[in-house]
Amino acid sequence: MERRRLGSTGYTVSELGFGASPLGGVFGPITSEEDAVRAVREAVDAHGINLFDTSPYYGNTESERVLGKCLSQLGDRDAYVLATKVGRYGRDEFDYSAARVRASVVESMQRLRVRRLDIVQCHDVEFADRWQIIAEETLPALARLRDEGVIGAIGLTGLPLSVYPTILEHTAVEVDVALSYCHACLCDTSLADSGVLRYLYEKGVGVLNASPLCMGLLTERGPPPWHPAPPALKAHCAAAARWVTEHAMECTGTPVTIAELALPYAVRCVGDGRIASTLVGIDSHATLSKNVQALRAPLNERLLQQVLRMLAPVHNQSWPSGAAWA
Ligand code: NAD
């Protein structure tokens, strides 16, 4: 697996990262914890995946707990780069205060069974008061933890792309990582189109692209019931998924699903090498294998161009998230 520099953090991360929110049951129950242990071990040992991303929010701390159990069986702490988050917790529960940041980091380390965290990100900053995040509380509290060596790097995550320049232009804290989601995939390339990717890259901020399957929209199974996409986007993605399943054989000679097209597209075709890693959600050992294989297979141009045509009417459509403060 190719490794890339993560901005100025000093970390080198695999081009495909292990998104651990499904381990918290976010998309449905997992096969078993034994299967999750196998997925994490094979990701590291067999496929060279070294980036893992989670949050206390995913499954109400369940993702961190299961991932901690899996990682503890690897032995070598230097074999992986571990990212989690602060600020977003249970359903509609947000707390970006300095006191909560410190307590949250300690709790995450306990659940993840580690003594240090490599990356801690402010989770979905569009739900926070901007001055609390920027100036007074969240980022300064994370910077103190970085100075103390408890965490390696500080990040931001959020849906509206404007949050990144807005925060970076107004904070004295050095932000190391930006995690954007659902904006660098088959139906949405706005991370690159908006100029935000170039802006971050030129500032030396390491960029992570999450949700290359647009949180399930670009899968045969389709999105979970909570998916916030507007109906037209859901309908176009579902039609494209059906079309791929029905026409893959005649185009490629083998069965291919839309996910197997969407993943390599996000990793290879978006961002001109400015994205350090693409985080895909892994719920099982079988899903891991499918994604590693999909990344190795050649992209079928005919299939890809037809799907892009089908998704063109909803290209870069998104949905509202948080307050419109950015
Ligand atoms: P995703 O686009 O990666 O899709 C995940 C869904 O697709 C899951 O149901 C998964 O089981 C399924 N899937 C994965 N590979 C598949 C395949 N080959 N075929 C069929 N189905 C497949 O969405 P995601 O999980 O939300 O994003 C990946 C990771 O990025 C998350 O786990 C999380 O770590 C991170 N993330 C962070 C934020 C944030 O910080 N705000 C938001 C979204 C995602």
Side-chain angles (χ1 to χ4, degrees), residues 66-86:
V66 175
L67 182 62
K69 177 175 172 179
C70 299
L71 292 173
S72 70
Q73 304 196 18
L74 294 177
D76 181 6
R77 174 64 183 88
D78 293 330
Y80 57 89
V81 175
L82 180 54
T84 190
K85 311 191 183 84
V86 294

Side-chain angles (χ1 to χ4, degrees), residues 18-22 27 53-54 58 85 123-124 157-158 179 181 210-216 219-221 226 257 259-260 279-283 287 290-291:
F18 192 120
S21 69
F27 292 90
D53 180 73
T54 182
Y58 302 147
K85 311 191 183 84
H123 197 167
D124 292 343
T157 86
L179 182 158
Y181 70 100
S211 309
L213 312 181
C214 216
M215 302 194 302
T219 63
E220 255 186 325
R221 185 171 76 163
W226 51 259
T257 65
E260 289 157 349
L279 286 160
V280 66
I282 304 289
D283 60 349
T287 302
K290 272 196 279 187
N291 285 329

Side-chain angles (χ1 to χ4, degrees), residues 92-263:
D92 296 329
E93 187 193 337
F94 300 91
D95 187 345
Y96 299 90
S97 67
R100 189 73 182 98
V101 165
R102 196 162 267 272
S104 184
V105 163
V106 171
E107 290 160 17
S108 288
M109 287 195 294
Q110 283 164 353
R111 283 189 291 267
L112 288 161
R113 308 191 198 185
V114 292
R115 292 209 184 108
R116 67 163 208 278
L117 293 168
D118 300 304
I119 305 167
V120 178
Q121 304 154 103
C122 301
H123 197 167
D124 292 343
V125 292
E126 67 271 26
F127 289 93
D129 170 87
R130 77 168 92 176
W131 300 119
Q132 185 186 34
I133 281 223
I134 298 165
E136 287 150 19
E137 303 222 28
T138 328
L139 288 176
L142 285 173
R144 279 192 291 279
L145 288 163
R146 183 176 56 190
D147 292 345
E148 292 165 18
V150 177
I151 69 178
I154 296 172
L156 302 172
T157 86
L159 185 71
L161 290 164
S162 55
V163 296
Y164 302 106
T166 303
I167 291 182
L168 291 171
E169 292 305 314
H170 290 95
T171 180
V173 172
E174 195 179 321
V175 174
D176 308 298
V177 176
L179 182 158
S180 159
Y181 70 100
C182 296
H183 289 316
C185 60
L186 273 179
C187 54
D188 187 327
T189 51
S190 56
L191 176 61
D193 304 343
S194 63
V196 169
L197 178 59
R198 176 186 287 271
Y199 167 85
L200 293 167
Y201 185 80
E202 288 177 355
K203 270 187 120 49
V205 176
V207 181
L208 302 176
N209 170 35
S211 309
L213 312 181
C214 216
M215 302 194 302
L217 281 181
L218 300 169
T219 63
E220 255 186 325
R221 185 171 76 163
W226 51 259
H227 201 294
L233 179 54
K234 286 183 176 166
H236 278 78
C237 290
R242 275 195 305 276
W243 188 88
V244 173
T245 304
E246 283 161 15
H247 292 85
M249 274 306 262
E250 78 194 46
C251 292
T252 70
T254 47
V256 175
T257 65
I258 194 163
E260 289 157 349
L261 194 67
L263 185 73

